[in-house]
Amino acid sequence: MLQSPETAQQASVEAFKTLGICEQLAEAAAALGWKEPTSIQQQAVPLLLQGRDVIGLAQTGSGKTGAFVLPILQDLLNKPQPLFALVLSPTRELAIQIAEQAEALGAGIALRTAVLVGGINMMDQALHLGKRPHIIVGTPGRVVDHLSNTKGLNLKMLKHLVLDEADRLLNMDFEEEIDQILKAIPKERRTQLFSATMTSKVQKLQRACLRDPAKVEVDQKYKTVSTLRQQYLFIPAKHKDCYLVHALTELAGATFMIFTRTADGAQKLALLLRNLSFAAIPIYGKMSQDKRIGALNKFKAGQCSILVATDVASRGLDIPAVDVVVNYDVPHNSKDYVHRVGRTARAGRSGRALTLVTQYDVELYQRIEKLIGKKLEEFATEQELVLLLLERVSEAQRMATMQMRDADKSKGSKRKQQGEDAEDGDDRPSAGRGRGRGRGKRRN
């Protein structure tokens, strides 16, 4: 017997109330379409409501954000104050997504958030901080910039600290920034640390900032869902682009995420595909924040059917309705394969993953099969049909190379002009530019 929407909604509310959260927050969770608490929420939320520090081991897509946001909001309801919680994230996009989900859960209690990430004017962010947000979500580098340069920012009354995707935070060399943040916040606080893996660096961080933590863990075996069809193509490296274009043509009508190893690789591949009339758009770490958000929004809205990405988009981001994930470059870290292909076949839907394996990738490919415990299926192709594309693809490659070169020249000319303006005394530094150490790759 089918439930009415109202009955199903009330069942969801009751399911979340069993965690110990109040009815108002349970209704907010149900309003987001959450039918019942995930495993990590069932384990972590009651402990956090008891005031325990928690270390949670769970993969992306396991509901971690709800696990740490719901207890924070309940505590905020009981003891309202500004600058109540700080959430640290490894990437800009994940920080924005966490803030959006927190705002949705806290809409009924007039929750205020501020997002502190690179690529956005610091003065604008400082204005948001001036409105005394309840929750700050940011990347460590930009949070440190504001602690150093934004007058009036004081986190001495902070009650909650969350380190999300801690393994990635540490792999991106944020240890120094995290240390600075820990010195700026009170020792008497609640701390939550969530990570996909328990590395030695994560263990060290746990000892440094958590007190007698409770450990909760979702199944940590690296596995892929049963609704995901996983395939590979063994190809000569020199014809890699031909095989990719052939596969995209064979699977026409689907939405794709194509993963490359480098930012330049993502940019060039997107240009190549556009030159062949595919609706492709890139996203990578070097892009400005506005362009990264714009690329994601265009893909989500269906304006582009192909998102060419580096691993900046492999974990944490909620990108619905991806039909096919293509590993254009086999990842060096086998676990990244699981994160990448997790972009499709979500929430019970089916999906497909295709990995392009050249003669140089065999060992990396074998590691992936060993990690996930299964053999991948071969994607059927005929070499003669693929090589019919060679002339068109070669021309598109040449055009992409020229476009990349022209873009580099344009950037070089712009930098030269800015330098001349500075010599003339006309240079105006943008408001809020941090006086940090200038390690741009870490100002995520």
Side-chain angles (χ1 to χ4, degrees):
M1 183 176 176
L2 292 175
Q3 288 183 318
S4 69
E6 294 79 10
T7 303
Q9 178 95 347
Q10 188 56 40
S12 298
V13 171
E14 294 302 320
F16 277 94
K17 283 172 66 177
T18 62
L19 298 178
I21 63 172
C22 65
E23 184 158 0
Q24 186 174 7
L25 292 176
E27 289 174 350
L32 290 180
W34 298 358
K35 295 181 180 178
E36 58 184 18
T38 65
S39 178
I40 192 69
Q41 290 166 359
Q42 290 171 1
Q43 296 181 64
V45 171
L47 291 167
L48 291 164
L49 291 175
Q50 294 168 21
R52 296 288 303 276
D53 283 5
V54 165
I55 178 165
L57 297 180
Q59 303 297 333
T60 184
S62 60
K64 295 196 304 284
T65 304
F68 61 73
V69 169
L70 286 170
I72 288 173
L73 294 182
Q74 179 128 325
D75 198 26
L76 181 62
L77 277 170
N78 296 330
K79 295 171 287 187
Q81 71 166 61
L83 303 177
F84 191 74
L86 171 65
V87 182
L88 297 179
S89 156
T91 67
R92 304 171 185 181
E93 289 77 18
L94 182 54
I96 291 167
Q97 185 173 293
I98 291 168
E100 288 174 347
Q101 202 160 92
E103 287 170 358
L105 288 169
I109 61 173
L111 180 75
R112 299 188 303 275
T113 68
V115 179
L116 307 183
V117 296
I120 295 176
N121 186 284
M122 276 190 64
M123 185 60 72
D124 292 339
Q125 293 174 350
L127 291 173
H128 283 292
L129 289 172
K131 296 177 182 177
R132 310 286 283 168
H134 301 106
I135 299 177
I136 296 172
V137 188
T139 49
R142 182 49 66 95
V143 172
V144 168
D145 281 344
H146 279 284
L147 286 171
S148 302
N149 301 312
T150 299
K151 288 184 178 180
L153 178 59
N154 186 322
L155 300 181
K156 294 297 184 183
M157 299 298 291
L158 193 82
K159 302 299 183 186
H160 292 265
L161 172 68
V162 180
L163 299 107
D164 194 21
E165 302 275 6
D167 51 344
R168 289 186 73 196
L169 281 170
L170 298 172
N171 285 341
M172 295 168 72
D173 294 329
F174 279 127
E175 292 103 320
E176 188 175 335
E177 284 85 352
I178 292 172
D179 285 343
Q180 288 179 261
I181 292 166
L182 291 176
K183 291 174 183 175
I185 62 178
K187 291 183 179 179
E188 295 298 318
R189 63 172 189 272
R190 296 188 201 169
T191 306
Q192 305 172 49
L193 186 153
F194 288 90
S195 181
T197 54
M198 178 54 85
T199 64
S200 58
K201 285 185 176 181
V202 173
Q203 288 178 325
K204 183 179 178 183
L205 180 60
Q206 172 195 333
R207 291 192 295 270
C209 66
L210 277 76
R211 295 179 303 170
D212 186 29
K215 184 177 179 181
V216 298
E217 184 171 359
V218 175
D219 183 8
Q220 286 300 294
K221 182 180 178 183
Y222 279 83
K223 59 184 179 181
T224 51
V225 296
S226 59
T227 54
L228 174 66
R229 186 179 184 184
Q230 299 178 75
Q231 297 177 294
Y232 75 95
L233 254 176
F234 187 61
I235 58 177
K238 64 181 179 179
H239 293 146
K240 192 175 188 179
D241 290 338
C242 284
Y243 277 89
L244 173 65
V245 171
H246 174 74
L248 296 177
T249 304
E250 288 289 298
L251 301 173
T255 56
F256 298 85
M257 283 190 70
I258 303 176
F259 283 99
T260 66
R261 205 169 281 149
T262 66
D264 286 346
Q267 188 177 4
K268 187 172 182 179
L269 186 59
L271 289 170
L272 181 150
L273 293 174
R274 284 185 202 164
N275 293 336
L276 292 167
S277 300
F278 289 97
I281 192 165
I283 180 171
Y284 49 88
K286 293 180 182 177
M287 292 172 69
S288 70
Q289 186 62 26
D290 287 345
K291 287 184 178 178
R292 284 162 76 168
I293 294 171
L296 276 177
N297 288 340
K298 283 183 179 179
F299 184 67
K300 288 181 178 182
Q303 296 174 26
C304 293
S305 59
I306 301 173
L307 185 67
V308 186
T310 58
D311 282 310
V312 73
S314 69
R315 285 167 67 174
L317 300 187
D318 182 19
I319 304 174
V322 177
D323 299 319
V324 183
V325 167
V326 179
N327 290 298
Y328 178 83
D329 292 323
V330 182
H332 284 300
N333 187 335
S334 305
K335 294 170 185 176
D336 286 336
Y337 171 86
V338 178
H339 294 305
R340 289 180 178 186
V341 302
R343 297 295 92 205
T344 186
R346 296 170 76 85
R349 293 188 292 266
S350 60
R352 185 193 300 254
L354 176 61
T355 300
L356 305 185
V357 185
T358 73
Q359 63 269 35
Y360 308 113
D361 304 318
V362 174
E363 185 179 347
L364 295 173
Y365 169 74
Q366 289 172 337
R367 286 184 204 160
I368 289 169
E369 287 193 328
K370 182 178 180 181
L371 179 74
I372 64 174
K374 67 185 298 182
K375 294 287 184 182
L376 273 59
E377 168 195 352
E378 186 173 7
F379 184 90
T381 57
E382 293 183 31
Q383 187 178 28
E384 294 78 8
L385 287 176
V386 173
L387 295 184
L388 289 175
L389 297 165
L390 184 57
E391 186 175 347
R392 286 182 59 218
V393 170
S394 296
E395 178 60 24
Q397 287 173 327
R398 284 193 292 271
M399 290 174 63
T401 300
M402 291 172 58
Q403 288 164 326
M404 291 277 285
R405 190 182 302 133
D406 290 345
D408 288 341
K409 285 181 180 178
S410 176
K411 288 177 185 175
S413 298
K414 189 174 180 180
R415 283 194 294 267
K416 184 179 178 182
Q417 183 62 48
Q418 287 173 339
E420 290 172 353
D421 288 345
E423 288 176 8
D424 291 337
D426 293 331
D427 187 45
R428 303 285 195 277
S430 62
R433 180 175 178 135
R435 296 193 300 269
R437 294 174 298 280
R439 292 170 298 177
K441 66 176 183 178
R442 294 171 59 181
R443 289 293 182 262
N444 233 344

